[in-house]
Amino acid sequence: MSAISAEFTDPRIVALHDARHPQPPQHPFYVDVAAQLPAVSVADVGCGTGRLAAELARRGHRVTAVDPSRAMLDVARRHPIGALITWIHGDALALPTSAFELVVLSGGVVSEITDDRELIATFAAARRALRPGGRLAFDARRFTARDWTRWTRAASYQELPAGAAAWRDDPRVFGDRIRYQAGYRFADGTEIELEREIRLRSDAWYLSVLEETGFRVDPADDDAPGLVVMATAGPPRQASALRFDPRPDRLWAVVDDGAGRPARVPMPDDSLEKIARLRRMGVALDQIVTAAQAAGLDWDPAGEVRARSEADMDEWRRRDREERERRKQAFRNRMAG
């Protein structure tokens, strides 16, 4: 579990959290999802001060709420029905196996987890925690909404009870990472500013990772400023073996699914497309790396993924735009037909 920002551990800031976010706009969505499934058992990952967990428990769901911040959980446990909720200090990896019909990560939790490996592990843990056919739901900011352009002290300044205040300032963009200053003034007049960072990953990244970790993803609203994902736990795809067959005309890959049906597929020239095609076939990144080394290819797939994810978000966004336009055009064609 990576280091937690003081925004979630400093008791002075945690005490201001609910006043600063008085009506979380995503909560009614998750409450409706839990009711409609219906979900007997719900896991709230990154539960914060426990307002969603408490509302779900009040409506009769059996709720397990997880958060890495002891200060947040201290507040959460004080809810009038807090005794009905199982509170866990930790992350998604602490959830029991096959115990839930619904796992939620609300309030942009996925954007707060800036390490890709940690977020992938979170999704994998959610998959293990769900019963067959269970559902994962989460929301995330989208890069295209450009929320951070309004993160100045003047535009974001918020008066809070007892003379306290909060604001955001000095946003900076580094690929898909947004860094900024989170400012607070406390009742005694003390002011602090914290260096913060979130990640606004592409829709394509979420889709790829969720499919690899064993989810079937519902279509999302392409034009919404925020991404809301619903996914169903399915059997994770995993190729048993991979080898590359370099030929003068092009590179071929032989993928074995473990059932005696090896598939021989041509590889595109673009290295990112190679990785994407193989991962759609259930080939893990470490298998691609091992096979590339065994074939003597002058190619570092793992290094390419790191470089692309950190420094080439323009390409991700271009692909996202093209895919959205393709789906819109396909919809127009169906309506016209």
Side-chain angles (χ1 to χ4, degrees), residues 38-316:
V40 175
S41 294
V42 181
D44 182 5
V45 177
C47 66
T49 57
R51 285 179 294 176
L52 176 58
E55 180 61 20
L56 290 167
R58 188 183 68 81
R59 291 171 179 261
H61 303 281
R62 189 163 61 243
V63 180
T64 298
V66 183
D67 202 277
S69 167
R70 291 188 186 278
M72 286 284 196
L73 288 176
D74 286 344
V75 173
R77 288 189 176 97
R78 293 200 290 266
H79 279 281
I81 59 171
L84 299 179
I85 300 167
T86 300
W87 304 101
I88 298 177
H89 175 240
D91 55 23
L93 278 70
L95 292 173
T97 300
S98 301
F100 305 98
E101 285 83 30
L102 175 64
V103 174
V104 302
L105 295 91
S106 70
V109 167
V110 295
S111 301
E112 296 285 348
I113 303 174
T114 57
D115 184 283
D116 283 342
R117 293 167 298 181
E118 186 172 342
L119 185 52
I120 291 169
T122 298
F123 289 145
R127 171 64 188 82
R128 290 192 299 271
L130 285 166
R131 297 188 174 113
R135 302 279 271 168
L136 169 70
F138 68 85
D139 56 88
R141 292 185 175 97
R142 272 183 164 134
F143 192 96
T144 51
R146 301 180 65 82
D147 293 344
W148 69 87
T149 60
R150 299 183 293 276
W151 293 355
T152 64
R153 179 161 177 156
S156 66
Y157 194 85
Q158 184 179 7
E159 293 283 355
L160 299 174
W167 62 90
R168 293 187 175 114
D169 201 9
D170 190 27
R172 289 145 285 146
V173 180
F174 301 90
D176 63 351
R177 296 174 184 266
I178 312 299
R179 295 174 188 161
Y180 64 95
Q181 297 292 315
Y184 291 90
R185 187 186 71 228
F186 303 112
D188 63 1
T190 303
E191 290 192 3
I192 63 170
E193 285 197 337
L194 309 171
E195 179 76 4
R196 294 282 285 113
E197 180 178 89
I198 59 172
R199 287 191 72 176
L200 307 185
R201 298 171 177 90
S202 70
D203 294 12
W205 188 92
Y206 285 115
L207 176 63
S208 174
V209 166
L210 287 167
E211 289 184 343
E212 184 173 319
T213 49
F215 287 98
R216 298 188 300 273
V217 185
D218 293 1
D221 184 347
D222 290 335
D223 296 319
L227 174 66
V228 177
V229 172
M230 289 289 298
T232 304
R237 296 178 297 172
Q238 178 66 53
S240 62
L242 166 71
R243 68 177 177 85
F244 288 114
D245 182 13
R247 295 298 180 93
D249 59 333
R250 68 189 312 167
L251 177 67
W252 292 76
V254 181
V255 181
D256 191 340
D257 65 359
R261 301 187 300 269
R264 181 179 171 84
V265 294
M267 291 285 94
D269 293 332
D270 181 79
S271 56
L272 187 62
E273 289 295 337
K274 287 187 182 75
I275 296 169
R277 181 171 297 183
L278 290 168
R279 291 179 73 168
R280 284 194 295 270
M281 297 180 71
V283 181
L285 182 58
D286 59 351
Q287 291 176 299
I288 301 174
V289 172
T290 300
Q293 292 171 344
L297 301 181
D298 183 20
W299 180 35
D300 176 14
E304 178 123 17
V305 169
R306 286 193 300 271
R308 291 294 183 103
S309 63
E310 295 288 344
D312 199 14
M313 280 303 295
D314 284 343
E315 178 66 11
W316 279 109

